Amino acid sequence: MSRGTVSRVLNGARYVSPSALAAVNEAIRATGYQANSHARSLVTGRSNSVAFVLTEPQHLLFEDPTFSIMLRAAAQALAQRDIPLVLMVAGSEEERRRTTTYVAAGHVDGVLLVSTHAGSPLLRDLLSEHVPVVTSGAPLGFDAVGYVEADEIGGARAMVRHLVERGRSTIATVTGPLDTPGGLKRLEGYRLEMADRLDESLIAHGDYSRESGRRATAELLARRPDIDAIFVASDLMAAGAVTALAEHGRRVPEDVAVGGFDDTGMAAALHPPLTTVRQPLDRIAREQVRLLLEIIDGQEPAAITLPTQLVVRAST
Amino acid sequence: MSRGTVSRVLNGARYVSPSALAAVNEAIRATGYQANSHARSLVTGRSNSVAFVLTEPQHLLFEDPTFSIMLRAAAQALAQRDIPLVLMVAGSEEERRRTTTYVAAGHVDGVLLVSTHAGSPLLRDLLSEHVPVVTSGAPLGFDAVGYVEADEIGGARAMVRHLVERGRSTIATVTGPLDTPGGLKRLEGYRLEMADRLDESLIAHGDYSRESGRRATAELLARRPDIDAIFVASDLMAAGAVTALAEHGRRVPEDVAVGGFDDTGMAAALHPPLTTVRQPLDRIAREQVRLLLEIIDGQEPAAITLPTQLVVRAST
DNA sequence: CTGAAAGCGCTTACAG
DNA sequence: CTGAAAGCGCTTACAG
């Protein structure tokens, strides 16, 4: 039996007789044969691997479980297809250059990018090299890039609506960074739902870190001591907000209701347990992988929006 | 100029005349040439990549920043040598099999393993395939495996000594899982330093999760209401311990002093800020990478122990 | 020090 | 449907 026939079996078994197919499969089982991936990549020009590129500042990565959850989910979704995930850190300028060079050299077939900031130079470089990319969250300021996002606006609106239904009248918000899609869209949802209740003094800005949630909440309390609810744009910042409220002698939820966003494990562990908006992070990562592989296979990019879900706990 | 000469320049420039070397380097710069890694791997039989294998239960990975810190540090140490890090998740039985097959097939040259449990079947399989492996923490029940660890025993002793110096007389401990080197050795350090103060009723067991720290502390308080200090074997569990103490109306540090282990960002963020034992996680990951690359290059394994450092804050 | 040649293990048209 | 052949882009003895 020729090498060519074996290769055909390995690559989809087209134009192979049933008897040859069976014989090859049996031989593969018996010998535990595994194709040499380097030889295959050399001729196909495909690496059959994908990079997961981390661009977030160090502290956030360790504080906020969101990133680890997506990383792990992506690794698992890829493993099911026997595609390795290569982790790259592109925090500094030099790391970014190294990452672009590495990717452009064809070491990986595509890139998974998490929470891209507006005008990200890394994304710009990657696109100019025509590297298949899928981001999580709509990349601000880029067109024709594939992405997967949660329904940020819908989720934020649902939370504000819930706070209103709970009888809260003075609802503030702590935003995420406004150069990220999540930060921007959660604020947009808040604005839309607040409508004529809206007042700019009810808005304070954070950067997704716990400490920023605490600081922004303290600002709000100083400016508007009359607030009776806060929608905080991430669970981690909400943890900071709860701390700030305690420091100012406000009870949660009696004096001030607090709602978060994400529903990572932290939300249920807070005191009191946090009402929040659940993002389907696992599913986002899985869809991101699926979409990237399609694009690598030559399909056009797409934008996928997945539903969020309000999870009511004791904090509201 | 022949391909052979260029190849010699790329691989260390032995037996190359200065003029040829200069010419090749200039051509590389001018054209931005990058060697095709698949072709190179095909002939050398080396993948020039390394796997980072995650075996921890999901929840711990997201709760405890220790793992992300080591993952990121390892990725950065490898990136400096232009070696990609392949992330593999080996939580389930099937994932473990897939990982072993993948690694044994030569897709990566070696494996970085974090916090191996006693008798780990993954480590057993990897060693039986003669895959170069370096673990973080001494792997319990295995010989001749390279590893890098913090001085767990010394760190635990320093903490107990500190609590004694602070005038505490009834010092309890919450341990980590005793089938991990960290869990076992931190308890050993506690035992050694307690000497004749030791009483088994002062020991409660956790599993490194926050909730287990809370539960174990509640147990201790029920059994020994007279304790005035607790050495908790990780910062995350210490956070749970502080919660339990508050729930039982004990003030930290006035009534009960609390000491942790790790010194991840969480320690300084706790209320009150946590006295803890700093593990040099960055350095551990860097040394782990260095050692693995040496072993891949044919050197014998080694065991490296790095010093820990007591960091005193307000909780003691 | 340098060039020519073989070979790493696959895939893919191309005949048959 | 199947086999023989070329070729992917390198590295590495081997002559010279």
Side-chain angles (χ1 to χ4, degrees):
Chain A
M1 187 159 306
S2 82
R3 223 182 311 177
T5 303
V6 175
S7 183
R8 269 172 229 120
V9 172
L10 257 32
N11 297 290
R14 292 165 69 82
Y15 308 110
V16 179
S17 67
S19 67
L21 203 171
V24 171
N25 278 139
E26 173 50 29
I28 288 174
R29 179 147 20 98
T31 62
Y33 171 82
Q34 277 216 276
N36 179 311
S37 62
H38 303 304
R40 176 177 283 172
S41 290
L42 179 57
V43 46
T44 61
R46 285 276 188 83
S47 75
N48 200 39
S49 70
V50 156
F52 187 104
V53 179
L54 246 35
T55 56
E56 284 307 308
Q58 187 118 352
H59 68 94
L60 251 191
L61 191 67
F62 305 144
E63 264 196 333
D64 196 326
T66 309
F67 301 105
S68 335
I69 292 173
M70 297 205 54
L71 176 58
R72 180 163 185 145
Q76 286 181 309
L78 286 163
Q80 284 177 2
R81 301 168 165 88
D82 275 313
I83 299 176
L85 179 154
V86 175
L87 178 68
M88 314 210 63
V89 178
S92 71
E93 171 75 15
E94 197 217 322
E95 286 172 339
R96 209 179 68 216
R97 202 174 310 121
R98 194 196 296 274
T99 300
T100 307
T101 306
Y102 180 85
V103 171
H107 285 89
V108 293
D109 298 331
V111 171
L112 260 16
L113 218 52
V114 174
S115 93
T116 320
H117 289 253
S120 152
L122 178 64
L123 181 53
R124 179 178 31 71
D125 292 350
L126 256 22
L127 292 176
S128 79
E129 299 278 358
H130 301 101
V131 174
V133 180
V134 176
T135 66
S136 66
L140 267 21
F142 291 92
D143 290 332
V145 176
Y147 66 87
V148 182
E149 63 172 1
D151 179 9
E152 316 270 13
I153 295 180
R157 296 190 71 151
M159 177 60 82
V160 174
R161 215 176 304 127
H162 165 74
L163 292 168
V164 170
E165 280 164 10
R166 283 289 205 248
R168 306 294 167 155
S169 60
T170 313
I171 304 172
T173 191
V174 173
T175 75
L178 298 186
D179 66 340
T180 65
L184 203 63
K185 293 188 173 184
R186 290 168 204 174
L187 173 58
E188 193 180 334
Y190 166 85
R191 286 208 137 104
L192 286 170
E193 198 64 35
M194 288 291 280
D196 47 5
R197 278 190 204 76
L198 186 64
D199 187 305
E200 294 300 320
S201 68
L202 293 170
I203 301 175
H205 301 292
D207 60 11
Y208 280 149
S209 73
R210 182 197 300 256
E211 181 52 32
S212 77
R214 182 179 173 189
R215 203 211 56 240
T217 301
E219 273 173 34
L220 284 173
L221 289 171
R223 201 155 63 207
R224 294 290 306 257
D226 59 324
I227 57 177
D228 58 9
I230 314 181
F231 163 47
V232 188
S234 84
D235 289 352
L236 184 63
M237 289 197 298
V242 167
T243 302
L245 288 165
E247 288 167 350
H248 289 76
R250 310 293 176 102
R251 292 165 304 167
V252 177
E254 293 83 349
D255 302 325
V256 179
V258 176
F261 204 103
D262 288 339
D263 199 29
T264 51
M266 179 185 314
L270 274 181
H271 300 283
L274 186 71
T275 293
T276 189
V277 177
R278 177 159 174 66
Q279 285 204 75
L281 292 178
D282 268 43
R283 194 169 164 211
I284 290 176
R286 282 201 308 274
E287 289 289 298
Q288 213 183 339
V289 163
R290 193 182 54 71
L291 183 55
L292 180 60
L293 296 179
E294 284 186 7
I295 295 174
I296 290 171
D297 275 343
Q299 307 227 355
E300 288 301 306
I304 300 178
T305 302
L306 299 172
T308 54
Q309 192 191 339
L310 183 71
V311 179
V312 179
R313 297 200 182 90
S315 71
T316 55
Chain B
M1 187 160 307
S2 83
R3 224 182 310 177
T5 303
V6 175
S7 184
R8 269 172 230 121
V9 172
L10 256 32
N11 296 290
R14 290 164 70 83
Y15 309 110
V16 178
S17 68
S19 65
L21 203 171
V24 172
N25 279 139
E26 173 50 29
I28 288 175
R29 179 149 17 99
T31 63
Y33 170 83
Q34 276 216 279
N36 179 309
S37 63
H38 303 303
R40 174 177 285 171
S41 291
L42 179 56
V43 46
T44 61
R46 285 276 189 82
S47 74
N48 201 39
S49 70
V50 157
F52 187 103
V53 179
L54 245 34
T55 56
E56 283 308 307
Q58 187 118 352
H59 68 93
L60 250 193
L61 190 68
F62 304 145
E63 265 196 334
D64 196 326
T66 309
F67 302 104
S68 335
I69 293 174
M70 296 206 53
L71 176 58
R72 181 164 185 143
Q76 287 181 308
L78 286 163
Q80 284 177 2
R81 300 167 165 89
D82 275 313
I83 298 176
L85 179 154
V86 176
L87 179 67
M88 314 211 63
V89 178
S92 71
E93 172 76 13
E94 198 218 320
E95 286 172 338
R96 207 179 69 216
R97 201 173 311 123
R98 195 197 294 276
T99 301
T100 308
T101 306
Y102 180 85
V103 171
H107 284 89
V108 293
D109 298 330
V111 170
L112 260 14
L113 219 52
V114 174
S115 93
T116 319
H117 289 252
S120 154
L122 178 65
L123 180 53
R124 180 179 30 72
D125 291 351
L126 256 22
L127 293 177
S128 79
E129 300 278 359
H130 301 100
V131 174
V133 179
V134 176
T135 66
S136 67
L140 267 22
F142 291 92
D143 289 332
V145 175
Y147 67 87
V148 182
E149 63 172 1
D151 178 10
E152 315 271 12
I153 295 181
R157 297 189 71 150
M159 177 61 82
V160 174
R161 214 176 304 128
H162 165 73
L163 293 168
V164 170
E165 280 165 10
R166 283 287 204 248
R168 306 293 167 156
S169 59
T170 313
I171 304 171
T173 191
V174 173
T175 75
L178 298 187
D179 66 339
T180 64
L184 202 63
K185 293 189 172 183
R186 290 167 204 175
L187 173 57
E188 194 182 334
Y190 166 84
R191 285 207 138 102
L192 286 170
E193 197 64 36
M194 289 290 281
D196 48 5
R197 277 191 205 78
L198 187 63
D199 187 304
E200 294 300 320
S201 69
L202 292 171
I203 301 176
H205 301 292
D207 61 11
Y208 280 150
S209 73
R210 182 196 300 255
E211 181 53 32
S212 76
R214 184 179 171 187
R215 205 210 55 240
T217 301
E219 274 173 34
L220 284 173
L221 289 171
R223 200 155 65 207
R224 294 291 303 258
D226 58 323
I227 58 177
D228 59 8
I230 314 180
F231 163 46
V232 188
S234 83
D235 289 352
L236 184 62
M237 291 197 297
V242 167
T243 302
L245 288 166
E247 286 167 350
H248 288 76
R250 311 291 175 101
R251 292 165 303 166
V252 177
E254 293 83 350
D255 302 324
V256 180
V258 176
F261 205 104
D262 288 339
D263 198 29
T264 51
M266 181 185 314
L270 275 181
H271 301 285
L274 186 71
T275 292
T276 190
V277 177
R278 177 159 174 66
Q279 286 205 74
L281 292 177
D282 268 43
R283 194 169 164 209
I284 290 176
R286 282 201 308 274
E287 290 289 299
Q288 214 183 337
V289 164
R290 193 181 55 71
L291 183 54
L292 179 61
L293 297 179
E294 284 185 8
I295 295 173
I296 291 171
D297 275 343
Q299 306 227 355
E300 289 300 305
I304 300 178
T305 302
L306 299 172
T308 55
Q309 192 190 339
L310 184 71
V311 180
V312 179
R313 298 202 180 90
S315 70
T316 54

